[in-house]
Amino acid sequence: MNFTNKVVLLTGAASGIGAATAVRFSELGAKLAIVDLSAEGLKKTAENCIKCAKSKDQGEPFQIVGDVSKSEDLECIAKSTIKKYKKLDVLANNAGIMEDGTIETTCLEQFDRMIHTNLRSQFYLSLLLVPELLKTKGNIVNTSSICGMRSFPNTLAYNISKAGVDQFTRCVALELGERGVRCNCVNPGVIYTNLQKRYLDENGYKEFLKKAKYTHALARYGQPIEVANVICFLASDLASFITGHNIPVDGGRHAMTPR
Ligand SMILES: NC(=O)c1ccc[n+]([C@@H]2O[C@H](COP(=O)([O-])OP(=O)(O)OC[C@H]3O[C@@H](n4cnc5c(N)ncnc54)[C@H](O)[C@@H]3O)[C@@H](O)[C@H]2O)c1
């Protein structure tokens, strides 16, 4: 995989899968624009990218502090990235949040928050940047979840947002394929990041991780780098004949009934 002279815009890059993906793209030679709510987290990711960069020509990652659930922030993210690099080759829509709740316990604000952050953000940032991707015959990689493909209990709004990402990915692939732009998504299983830590207490998170032994065919949870590798592969020329795909990166979780 080689991203020399390629410009990659990646959201949710301050932590977890996004932080690992930024570093991997940097190792592979990409020039990066990285987005997150956390300025501190972005700074740390940028430092790690610089340490791992393939060449000095990549420069320091362009850090954009912004909220992907807000239209005006997405407009600013798109505009400032193009102003900085004059082009875009890869859009990696990765930022996301997870909260628990069922049809009886999810309030409307929570539902809207999940849809805005996880799905509407991917739609609007893609809409804003498709003209640039058409120029470079670039591609989009979205981060979905295994929850987009299966219904897991007590995460109703999250499941729905990720099912939307899967369908969005296929629609964009169909619409742009003839003009040379690909669109794919990754569907991770349980990955060791801050995502669930934010809504579970310490014991709850420990129990959640233990269950991965029985819910994943590989009998373990995954690491952020294992998803980052697949995002980079899908964004690379090695995946030149893959589009519209929802790829589980889930230790076989999609294929099994929990033991
Ligand atoms: N960790 C898992 O088990 C898992 C499984 C399936 C899918 N995913 C997906 O992977 C993606 C990355 O999550 P992660 O596991 O690395 O979690 P994480 O919490 O470690 O990282 C998510 C990052 O997104 C950022 N973010 C959240 N809301 C944002 C907003 N409104 N604007 C800008 N940035 C925002 C956070 O600040 C954080 O840095 C998400 O889309 C998540 O749904 C994660």
Side-chain angles (χ1 to χ4, degrees), residues 15 17 36 66-68 94 143-144 158 162 189 191 193 196 198:
S15 166
I17 293 168
D36 207 284
D67 182 343
V68 299
N94 168 75
T143 305
S144 179
Y158 183 76
K162 294 300 188 178
I191 308 297
T193 70
Q196 292 92 357
R198 292 201 170 95

Side-chain angles (χ1 to χ4, degrees), residues 62-97:
F62 179 46
Q63 296 160 56
I64 310 166
V65 178
D67 182 343
V68 299
S69 69
K70 294 191 174 144
S71 308
E72 58 277 18
D73 284 21
L74 292 168
E75 286 156 11
C76 176
I77 290 162
K79 214 171 165 181
S80 60
T81 301
I82 298 305
K83 190 171 175 212
K84 163 86 180 161
Y85 289 119
K86 316 282 183 265
K87 70 160 187 163
L88 184 70
D89 297 286
V90 176
L91 170 60
N93 284 311
N94 168 75
I97 50 169

Side-chain angles (χ1 to χ4, degrees), residues 96-107:
I97 50 169
M98 185 181 207
E99 292 173 26
D100 59 7
T102 68
I103 186 60
E104 293 172 294
T105 60
T106 305
C107 67

Side-chain angles (χ1 to χ4, degrees), residues 5-207:
N5 291 325
K6 302 277 186 195
V7 176
V8 175
L9 170 58
L10 167 68
T11 67
S15 166
I17 293 168
T21 304
V23 169
R24 195 74 189 100
F25 271 124
S26 198
E27 286 171 349
L28 295 166
K31 291 180 180 168
L32 281 163
I34 52 176
V35 179
D36 207 284
L37 289 169
S38 163
E40 207 183 314
L42 280 182
K43 194 166 165 251
K44 207 171 152 206
T45 298
E47 285 165 6
N48 290 333
C49 288
I50 292 165
K51 275 188 217 146
C52 298
K54 190 174 172 185
S55 147
K56 284 210 167 75
D57 299 343
Q58 288 163 245
E60 186 178 334
F62 179 46
Q63 296 160 56
I64 310 166
V65 178
D67 182 343
V68 299
S69 69
K70 294 191 174 144
S71 308
E72 58 277 18
D73 284 21
L74 292 168
E75 286 156 11
C76 176
I77 290 162
K79 214 171 165 181
S80 60
T81 301
I82 298 305
K83 190 171 175 212
K84 163 86 180 161
Y85 289 119
K86 316 282 183 265
K87 70 160 187 163
L88 184 70
D89 297 286
V90 176
L91 170 60
N93 284 311
N94 168 75
I97 50 169
M98 185 181 207
E99 292 173 26
D100 59 7
T102 68
I103 186 60
E104 293 172 294
T105 60
T106 305
C107 67
L108 190 57
E109 287 75 20
Q110 196 185 8
F111 186 84
D112 286 346
R113 184 162 58 243
M114 210 84 60
I115 296 294
H116 275 230
T117 307
N118 294 356
L119 178 59
R120 184 182 181 276
S121 63
Q122 297 198 0
F123 160 74
Y124 193 42
L125 195 55
S126 302
L127 179 155
L128 292 167
L129 287 165
V130 158
E132 298 298 330
L133 294 171
L134 285 168
K135 288 183 205 162
T136 55
K137 299 208 185 298
N139 70 83
I140 301 172
V141 183
N142 299 319
T143 305
S144 179
S145 166
I146 198 63
C147 296
M149 300 173 138
R150 299 268 185 282
S151 307
F152 290 93
N154 202 29
T155 50
L156 171 122
Y158 183 76
N159 295 346
I160 293 169
S161 72
K162 294 300 188 178
V165 170
D166 289 358
Q167 184 63 266
F168 172 62
T169 300
R170 288 190 291 268
C171 291
V172 173
L174 283 186
E175 289 160 5
L176 302 183
E178 260 188 88
R179 285 176 283 162
V181 172
R182 298 182 296 109
C183 182
N184 293 291
C185 71
V186 289
N187 297 65
V190 173
I191 308 297
Y192 187 72
T193 70
N194 288 321
L195 189 80
Q196 292 92 357
K197 271 190 214 159
R198 292 201 170 95
Y199 79 97
L200 292 172
D201 62 26
E202 206 176 313
N203 276 339
Y205 189 56
K206 270 190 197 153
E207 285 309 308

Side-chain angles (χ1 to χ4, degrees), residues 232-243:
C232 290
F233 164 71
L234 289 171
S236 80
D237 290 344
L238 289 183
S240 55
F241 205 47
I242 300 179
T243 196

